[in-house]
Amino acid sequence: MSKYQCPDCGYVYDETQGCEEEGYAPGTEWEDIPDDFPCPECFVRDKPDFVEINE
Amino acid sequence: MSEMNTASSLSSAKDNSPKDNSHWATAKKYWYLVTFIAPAALLATALLAAITGQGGWLWGFTAIFFVIIPIVDTIVGEDPYNPSKEEEVELSSNDNYYKNILYLATATQWAGLITMTYVVTQYSWAWYDILGAVLSVGALHAIGLTISHELGHKVRDKHQTLAAKICSACSGYAHFNIEHNKGHHKHVATPEDPASSRMGESLYKFALRELPGAAHRGWKLEADRLKRLNKSFFSKDNELLQTLAITFVAYGLMTAAFGWMALPFLLLTAAYGWFQLTMANYIEHYGLLRQKSEDGRYERCQPKHSWNNNFKATNLITLHLQRHSDHHAHPTRAYQILRDYPEAPQLPHGYPAMMALAMVPPLWRLVMDHRVVKWANGNMSLVNMDPASKNKLFNKYHNPQVATS
């Protein structure tokens, strides 16, 4: 399970947690998120802009 | 606050000069309370009308908004202060103070609406007095939607999100927050955005595109979200219906308390409040266009894609909404840390004066069209133009020599 970060506001999409309020259940893998998925905090960056975080 | 969003933009934000601004930097925290002048003025004028029986007082806040505030703006001038990175940390750590201003402003917004509705319905007024009251409350709604706008961007804060709904409900603008965040910010300064005005498009033509376009987009965005959640559109989780419910209950209670005349008055003030927001949207991105990258996506929104205004008085009243360039480049930045970008395109005046100008399309065009041309360096293919005016504008302004120099 990986994490991906919005390069503008710092929001982190964590695959283990998903993004429930936007309808992406915990465990939803990043590759299953649609390409036009906007950052659910700032909405000015989309999925292709996100950066994978290696912790 | 993420470090990553400051690196590229801080370099171009105006340098802070602590020696010159140290007193202002300290005092500014309390100067934000100027925003309460708006509801206080509406309350005062409503009560003066009731006490004196002079209906002219109901026009009071309209006059303050469109005449007095622009005069004060001119006298007071610009705000030279941008917080340094260290000051940003300090300002953010004081977040509760700045949030409380927003909560109190939400309450005073409702106090203004209820008071004016009471005064209009409980006394006898001529139709032109009531018109003044509608315009005055509408101007207050514009301030209220500014407050709601700031609250609505804090999507991770349940208290601010709830306050945003309560604040938007005041003018019945249920779809505002969702549409603004997920629609307008995502598509700003593109021909696809109904809330970004095009060069050659008058305020009134824009309103006919923006009002239905934004409403449709807001409701659709929420419907799509609920669909992903496998929930009904009429679920209690529909955030737009939640806001609408607050409006229905509040307007219903006022109608029950003040008599049937309250309802048409409230609906008229809401409608004009919506139009006031349309005016704000009209002036914020007029003619500005993001270019498409090779991959077919629009370039990311930069400070140059929003008209900016750095006048001190109206920035305090609108809680830095006019530092719009930074806001659109970094929408999650709290109002107290928004910065001025001197190289961003500048409106010649604060929002109230520019709204008044927008109501007279030939004057607006006279003041703004050449600014758009200058912004595009004479290359009209870089401008967001009204298709109906495209050829005319191209012939009049396109200057390949400037554009290719």
Side-chain angles (χ1 to χ4, degrees):
Chain A
M1 286 283 159
S2 303
K3 294 179 180 178
Y4 299 84
Q5 188 169 36
C6 169
D8 182 64
C9 71
Y11 163 82
V12 174
Y13 180 87
D14 182 340
E15 288 180 327
T16 57
Q17 296 184 14
C19 180
E20 288 192 88
E21 74 274 16
E22 289 297 333
Y24 303 103
T28 305
E29 292 187 6
W30 187 241
E31 64 179 34
D32 296 326
I33 297 286
D35 281 346
D36 62 353
F37 170 79
C39 168
E41 278 195 34
C42 71
F43 303 100
V44 293
R45 297 291 182 276
D46 300 314
K47 181 185 174 180
D49 302 312
F50 276 57
V51 180
E52 187 169 5
I53 304 173
N54 298 309
E55 291 177 334
Chain B
M1 175 55 62
S2 158
E3 285 296 310
M4 60 181 67
N5 71 3
T6 59
S8 61
S9 48
L10 257 181
S11 57
S12 59
K14 193 183 285 183
D15 282 344
N16 184 32
S17 38
K19 274 187 299 191
D20 301 338
N21 299 311
S22 57
H23 175 70
W24 174 236
T26 310
K28 194 170 179 179
K29 176 181 178 181
Y30 302 103
W31 275 98
Y32 284 116
L33 300 174
V34 160
T35 195
F36 293 107
I37 280 178
L42 187 93
L43 283 165
T45 51
L47 294 173
L48 278 165
I51 292 163
T52 63
Q54 298 293 320
W57 282 111
L58 299 177
W59 282 87
F61 189 62
T62 307
I64 289 168
F65 189 89
F66 287 114
V67 181
I68 308 292
I69 290 175
I71 291 170
V72 172
D73 239 358
T74 307
I75 294 166
V76 174
E78 295 210 356
D79 180 355
Y81 175 68
N82 271 351
S84 64
K85 285 186 86 167
E86 294 74 24
E87 286 169 321
E88 275 188 26
V89 174
E90 190 188 329
L91 286 165
S92 301
S93 68
N94 249 328
D95 206 34
N96 276 343
Y97 169 82
Y98 295 101
K99 272 194 279 192
N100 287 338
I101 289 179
L102 299 172
Y103 297 147
L104 191 56
T106 300
T108 54
Q109 188 69 23
W110 278 100
L113 179 67
I114 294 165
T115 305
M116 190 60 107
T117 308
Y118 171 81
V119 168
V120 164
T121 54
Q122 304 307 301
Y123 298 82
S124 291
W125 306 108
W127 68 267
Y128 45 83
D129 297 330
I130 294 172
L131 175 65
V134 168
L135 297 180
S136 293
V137 173
L140 185 72
H141 280 328
I143 306 283
L145 287 165
T146 299
I147 304 296
S148 164
H149 166 258
E150 180 68 26
L151 290 161
H153 270 290
K154 308 301 178 292
V155 294
R156 295 283 149 208
D157 184 331
K158 283 188 164 53
H159 295 129
Q160 290 195 70
T161 305
L162 174 62
K165 289 173 189 167
I166 294 170
C167 200
S168 293
C170 199
S171 54
Y173 215 144
H175 60 270
F176 172 57
N177 298 106
I178 299 268
E179 133 63 24
H180 177 83
N181 288 357
K182 299 182 180 180
H184 177 56
H185 270 274
K186 187 172 163 60
H187 300 285
V188 69
T190 67
E192 290 80 22
D193 183 26
S196 293
S197 62
R198 301 161 178 167
M199 186 178 180
E201 184 176 44
S202 75
L203 168 66
Y204 307 103
K205 186 176 181 182
F206 172 70
L208 293 173
R209 183 167 67 89
E210 187 251 9
L211 286 163
H216 176 262
R217 186 167 65 181
W219 286 95
K220 187 180 182 308
L221 281 162
E222 186 63 352
D224 290 347
R225 185 183 76 92
L226 290 163
K227 202 172 170 181
R228 285 197 299 271
L229 288 162
N230 293 317
K231 288 180 178 173
S232 159
F233 178 81
F234 298 101
S235 138
K236 65 175 175 44
D237 295 315
N238 184 321
E239 296 194 12
L240 277 62
L241 291 179
Q242 290 170 4
T243 305
L244 212 53
I246 299 168
T247 305
F248 274 131
V249 170
Y251 284 18
L253 285 172
M254 279 189 265
T255 305
F258 304 146
W260 70 268
M261 270 294 289
L263 190 59
F265 176 73
L266 286 164
L267 294 176
L268 278 172
T269 58
Y272 180 65
W274 288 29
F275 183 66
Q276 281 261 182
L277 183 80
T278 297
M279 284 195 244
N281 277 336
Y282 180 76
I283 67 181
E284 284 165 347
H285 305 281
Y286 180 76
L288 306 181
L289 180 67
R290 285 193 283 153
Q291 300 303 309
K292 273 192 175 170
S293 310
E294 285 177 11
D295 61 2
R297 297 171 67 214
Y298 281 105
E299 63 178 312
R300 64 189 239 193
C301 184
Q302 297 166 53
K304 69 177 181 182
H305 295 121
S306 309
W307 290 101
N308 203 60
N309 180 268
N310 198 35
F311 274 26
K312 192 183 276 187
T314 36
N315 262 312
L316 291 171
I317 291 171
T318 63
L319 302 179
H320 275 167
L321 181 69
Q322 297 177 164
R323 286 188 167 182
H324 213 62
S325 296
D326 196 15
H327 169 64
H328 264 276
H330 307 297
T332 54
R333 287 181 77 83
Y335 68 91
Q336 67 270 23
I337 55 173
L338 284 174
R339 301 151 300 186
D340 177 48
Y341 286 83
E343 81 281 10
Q346 298 291 327
L347 290 171
H349 221 288
Y351 279 16
M354 295 312 290
M355 286 174 170
L357 198 68
M359 285 193 270
V360 189
L363 284 181
W364 171 266
R365 302 282 305 272
L366 191 69
V367 171
M368 288 304 295
D369 279 10
H370 68 91
R371 283 183 161 80
V372 177
V373 177
K374 189 180 172 190
W375 173 84
N377 286 323
N379 186 352
M380 294 305 286
S381 56
L382 302 178
V383 173
N384 188 8
M385 282 183 282
D386 180 9
S389 309
K390 206 164 186 171
N391 289 341
K392 199 174 166 185
L393 290 170
F394 231 91
N395 292 337
K396 186 175 179 181
Y397 291 114
H398 189 61
N399 187 342
Q401 285 181 323
V402 176
T404 55
S405 63

